[in-house]
Amino acid sequence: MLPLQLERLPASLAFFVLASSQLASAFYLPGITPTNYKIGDLVQLTVNHLTPSQSARDTHVRSVFSFDYYHHAFHFCPPEGGPQPVSESLGSILFGDRIQTSPFQLHMNVNETCKAVCDEQLFEPRDAKFMNRRIWQNYNLNWLIDGLPAGQRYLDPNTNTEFYQPGFALGEVKSEQPRLNNHYNIYIDYHQVRKDQYRVVGIIVEPESLGESKRIGEGDDFTADCGNPGVPKLLDERSQTAVTWTYSVQWRPSATSFATRWDKYLHVYDPKIHWFSLINSAVIVMFLIGMVSTIMVRTLRKDIKRYNRLDQLGLDDLNGPESVEDGVVEDSGWKLVHGDVFRSPKHSLALSVLVGNGAQLFAMAGFTIAFAVVGFLSPSNRGSLATVMILLYTVFGFIGGYVSSRVYKSFKGTKWKQLFVYTPSAVPALVFGIFFLLNLFVWARQSSGAVPFSTMLVIVAIWFVISVPLSVAGSWVGFKQPQAEAPVRTNQIPRQIPPAHGYLRPIPSMLLVGVLPFGAIFVELYFIMNSLWSSRIYYMFGFLFLSFGLLVVTSAAVTVMMIYFVLCVENYHWQWRAFASSGASALYVFAYSLLYWARMLKFSSFTGGLLYLGYSLLISFLWFVLSGTIGFFACWVFVHRIYGSLKID
Ligand SMILES: *[C@@H]1O[C@H](CO)[C@@H](O)[C@H](O)[C@H]1NC(C)=O
């Protein structure tokens, strides 16, 4: 990754550097540029923020806040001259990474036993309380050595394979007492490529609580005694406690090559179950959709044939017994609303803006997932996923503008100025506003998860300087295009709409339509939530790709079906209906996030819950816009096709 120090660059300049360097880093293929070390070379250990996680004792995640490694209450040893930030990508900063240098001295293939990191640290009661609380909440330390996360070793009981999970425990609760892990056993796997050329291919840290460990050296000699492993380190919440941080290093030769060093971290839990449930839902959904759409295509064909035959027969044949029968049939069905179905909906401006933004999100999601499937966005390239998402979203402002103005033109809209302004601003401003508000809470908790103000400025700058002009340009191009001709003429006077019954009423139809797309992908949703809230790595992009495809197909098919039924009962207000019904899967996503909260999370603070709710709402809203757009365009095509095949003079 190219070095990029966002904190230091003036925001006005930053976006240029950012755009170019991010493009470069997006195409950086991890695993191609390994670092070779000679024996005795310093291997840098960098430290990232502390994150809440689950533990064997406690399967709930209890917090959403991450903390800076050098938060004063932790009393971790800083390197000489103070910690330096390590440059990161924008996406990595947004998603909470705060990587800094550390005082640990690791030398390639030089074993160490019990070294002190620095002088003894004194914990005041206040800090002890803070620390103990973090131990109760299962906080994890996140180190990086040669770009590889230090992990803990686990055994998957189902497949009996060993894998590494990034992060290791800050402490441990045993017999209701929080024990601080003040000693780290670092095991580094190295791989010899040539004579005196070694590469780091795996890192395990097994932390330990050593109550009586003391430094025995002086000056530059940092030896310690690591005495008596039976006595744990407890932090006294009433008086001062002295803590010595110590570590041991063992280098172990390994057959793992550099190219495959991430494999152990990217362990798939139960790949069979994962595949099984995904294919299961895919098959059921596809079967349902296939069945119903065959029926629909047949019915439609028959409808169209009958309508067109009736037209040919003309009025003179109406006396025949057969056509009277047909004439009666013609009194119902979707043909009746042909003079109204292309009438512009109410609030057409808002709908156009939403659909434009949805198209922008859709393009971003599609391209990001495609990039990820091809392997550009491997988790070893920290933050690349988020960075690429932001970059693509920005660039696709053009698509957003174009789509919204094309749609608005077809609605015969007249408030063009508003369209040009609202398309690039309404949805992003809402999202950014909520994000900013939530960020204030994180910031108030002194959590490192708060996005720095300078990064916020950079985001606003990128949005303003790249996204907005592109969107306006897109809107302009769309505005200049000729208006898409509707296949049938719209009548002067709107038809009466008979009252709807049963599942065709707006709310029940939304709930019905929303449940299928959600049902098709909720397995994947679980893994995504896990990676968001339990700091797990997400990398199953193949699954994600499939799920995305399923989401698109299901949303489109179910919404089209619903709109067909709605048109059959002579309700021609299909535009908002299609958007809202298809978007209704967002309701289920939100409900699912509440369920996830109940099952997997237990926040011990009010702000934790508030943040979780806020972010869930934000995600659900974006989901609504995106999936609503899918349904809208599916119905758009559908309505144009079926009314286009009618012969009406
Ligand atoms: C370091 O320790 C490991 C494990 O005990 C051992 O296999 C290895 O030979 C040691 N390396 C050196 C250079 O002593």
Side-chain angles (χ1 to χ4, degrees):
M1 234 174 285
L2 289 180
L4 174 67
Q5 303 246 314
L6 288 174
E7 323 309 89
R8 308 227 175 106
L9 277 170
S12 54
L13 256 180
F15 76 91
F16 270 117
V17 183
L18 206 120
S20 50
S21 77
Q22 289 321 323
L23 260 182
S25 70
F27 292 97
Y28 159 86
L29 289 177
I32 284 185
T33 47
T35 321
N36 293 320
Y37 298 93
K38 293 191 181 63
I39 287 187
D41 277 358
L42 184 72
V43 179
Q44 200 188 27
L45 190 161
T46 50
V47 289
N48 201 349
H49 59 171
L50 277 80
T51 49
S53 79
Q54 294 140 305
S55 74
R57 173 185 59 88
D58 183 0
T59 52
H60 290 104
V61 174
R62 293 181 177 270
S63 176
V64 291
F65 300 104
S66 52
F67 287 96
D68 194 282
Y69 185 83
Y70 295 109
H71 187 289
H72 62 89
F74 286 132
H75 291 280
F76 290 129
C77 308
E80 244 175 82
Q84 299 296 320
V86 174
S87 51
E88 293 170 63
S89 63
L90 180 66
S92 151
I93 295 178
L94 267 185
F95 272 62
D97 279 349
R98 303 286 179 270
I99 305 174
Q100 298 171 78
T101 53
S102 79
F104 292 89
Q105 298 280 324
L106 310 180
H107 297 277
M108 177 53 84
N109 212 353
V110 178
N111 289 350
E112 305 271 10
T113 39
C114 204
K115 299 265 284 182
V117 194
C118 62
D119 290 329
E120 203 170 69
Q121 299 285 318
L122 284 180
F123 276 77
E124 299 296 332
R126 246 187 66 190
D127 297 345
K129 232 178 223 160
F130 178 86
M131 191 66 136
N132 283 341
R133 211 171 144 68
R134 301 287 92 81
I135 295 175
W136 273 106
Q137 294 174 331
N138 310 312
Y139 269 77
N140 264 353
L141 273 77
N142 296 288
W143 288 357
L144 295 164
I145 298 177
D146 190 46
L148 207 56
Q152 269 182 312
R153 204 192 331 237
Y154 288 89
L155 197 70
D156 187 336
N158 294 314
T159 50
N160 215 11
T161 44
E162 188 191 77
F163 66 98
Y164 297 175
Q165 174 112 46
F168 54 92
L170 172 68
E172 199 182 0
V173 181
K174 272 214 177 121
S175 40
E176 296 299 297
Q177 272 186 323
R179 300 169 165 192
L180 176 65
N181 290 329
N182 60 333
H183 176 77
Y184 308 113
N185 294 303
I186 308 172
Y187 301 97
I188 308 184
D189 300 330
Y190 65 89
H191 182 73
Q192 181 168 13
V193 263
R194 241 163 275 132
K195 193 170 176 295
D196 208 24
Q197 283 204 349
Y198 301 89
R199 289 168 181 175
V200 176
V201 293
I203 296 136
I204 294 290
V205 174
E206 282 170 6
E208 234 178 298
S209 187
L210 295 179
E212 295 179 353
S213 184
K214 284 245 157 24
R215 181 175 170 187
I216 43 181
E218 267 176 31
D220 282 346
D221 180 13
F222 279 98
T223 38
D225 65 0
C226 287
N228 203 353
V231 183
K233 187 96 222 167
L234 307 176
L235 292 179
D236 195 338
E237 296 188 6
R238 270 165 306 227
S239 65
Q240 273 189 343
T241 318
V243 173
T244 309
W245 300 102
T246 54
Y247 67 101
S248 302
V249 190
Q250 281 191 16
W251 295 82
R252 307 180 301 189
S254 159
T256 311
S257 71
F258 187 85
T260 57
R261 66 176 191 165
W262 271 88
D263 293 3
K264 269 196 184 140
Y265 292 86
L266 309 181
H267 176 76
V268 181
Y269 296 87
D270 296 331
K272 272 191 209 135
I273 294 186
H274 201 160
W275 274 117
F276 179 76
S277 48
L278 195 71
I279 291 176
N280 197 19
S281 54
V283 167
I284 293 177
V285 164
M286 288 302 164
F287 178 71
L288 270 178
I289 289 175
M291 208 169 66
V292 181
S293 45
T294 331
I295 296 173
M296 250 181 72
V297 167
R298 277 200 189 163
T299 324
L300 273 171
R301 279 226 183 97
K302 239 162 80 190
D303 285 353
I304 292 170
K305 237 193 209 154
R306 199 183 65 227
Y307 289 151
N308 287 343
R309 196 182 58 212
L310 266 172
D311 237 42
Q312 277 163 10
L313 285 176
L315 284 170
D316 15 311
D317 295 306
L318 261 181
N319 302 331
E322 186 199 336
S323 42
V324 167
E325 199 184 16
D326 271 348
V328 172
V329 177
E330 202 214 353
D331 266 342
S332 68
W334 49 270
K335 190 195 175 182
L336 287 183
V337 291
H338 69 80
D340 296 276
V341 70
F342 294 105
R343 198 179 291 289
S344 306
K346 270 187 207 152
H347 310 294
S348 57
L349 179 69
L351 185 59
S352 311
V353 167
L354 282 176
V355 165
N357 276 280
Q360 188 177 354
L361 282 173
F362 182 81
M364 177 206 69
F367 273 85
T368 309
I369 295 173
F371 273 145
V373 168
V374 177
F376 280 155
L377 311 178
S378 142
S380 58
N381 193 358
R382 291 190 85 84
S384 58
L385 182 67
T387 310
V388 165
M389 274 167 78
I390 295 168
L391 198 75
L392 287 178
Y393 183 78
T394 312
V395 173
F396 288 149
F398 186 84
I399 296 184
Y402 180 77
V403 169
S404 91
S405 84
R406 280 308 292 272
V407 170
Y408 194 53
K409 189 143 203 179
S410 82
F411 290 158
K412 304 178 190 68
T414 48
K415 299 178 195 153
W416 283 96
K417 263 185 219 144
Q418 276 104 315
L419 183 91
F420 275 72
V421 173
Y422 289 150
T423 304
S425 63
V427 173
L430 187 73
V431 170
F432 192 77
I434 297 179
F435 182 69
F436 188 78
L437 214 70
L438 293 177
N439 199 48
L440 283 183
F441 283 100
V442 185
W443 181 68
R445 287 290 299 258
Q446 298 187 315
S447 159
S448 70
V451 176
F453 189 67
S454 53
T455 310
M456 290 264 193
L457 277 183
V458 170
I459 293 175
V460 173
I462 295 175
W463 170 74
F464 209 76
V465 181
I466 305 179
S467 196
V468 171
L470 277 177
S471 167
V472 171
S475 295
W476 180 255
V477 173
F479 172 66
K480 283 285 162 197
Q481 299 275 323
Q483 186 182 328
E485 271 306 313
V488 279
R489 224 162 14 88
T490 300
N491 292 342
Q492 287 288 318
I493 300 153
R495 249 180 96 90
Q496 284 272 329
I497 298 175
H501 298 290
Y503 66 92
L504 288 179
R505 282 169 298 161
I507 303 277
S509 73
M510 275 173 72
L511 292 179
L512 264 178
V513 171
V515 75
L516 264 177
F518 169 77
I521 53 121
F522 81 96
V523 181
E524 210 48 42
L525 207 57
Y526 170 78
F527 288 95
I528 295 174
M529 293 234 187
N530 258 352
S531 82
L532 275 180
W533 302 110
S534 328
S535 8
R536 295 250 174 92
I537 304 181
Y538 188 86
Y539 55 88
M540 293 169 282
F541 296 112
F543 286 115
L544 190 63
F545 185 72
L546 266 179
S547 304
F548 190 66
L550 265 184
L551 176 75
V552 173
V553 173
T554 334
S555 302
V558 187
T559 318
V560 163
M561 248 178 263
M562 177 57 72
I563 292 305
Y564 173 72
F565 293 134
V566 167
L567 290 175
C568 280
V569 295
E570 296 160 41
N571 184 342
Y572 52 84
H573 289 162
W574 61 274
Q575 294 96 337
W576 274 107
R577 234 346 153 69
F579 188 85
S581 312
S582 181
S585 58
L587 284 178
Y588 291 94
V589 170
F590 186 68
Y592 187 71
S593 64
L594 293 183
L595 187 74
Y596 185 85
W597 184 0
R599 291 287 303 279
M600 307 292 291
L601 313 166
K602 250 188 199 150
F603 298 123
S604 36
S605 70
F606 171 72
T607 37
L610 192 76
L611 270 176
Y612 180 81
L613 271 186
Y615 282 123
S616 299
L617 268 176
L618 204 61
I619 292 170
S620 307
F621 172 68
L622 292 176
W623 188 291
F624 173 74
V625 174
L626 191 146
S627 61
T629 303
I630 298 172
F632 175 82
F633 279 113
C635 292
W636 173 285
V637 172
F638 172 72
V639 169
H640 278 77
R641 285 290 296 271
I642 62 169
Y643 286 94
S645 34
L646 288 184
K647 294 195 193 81
I648 296 162
D649 332 290

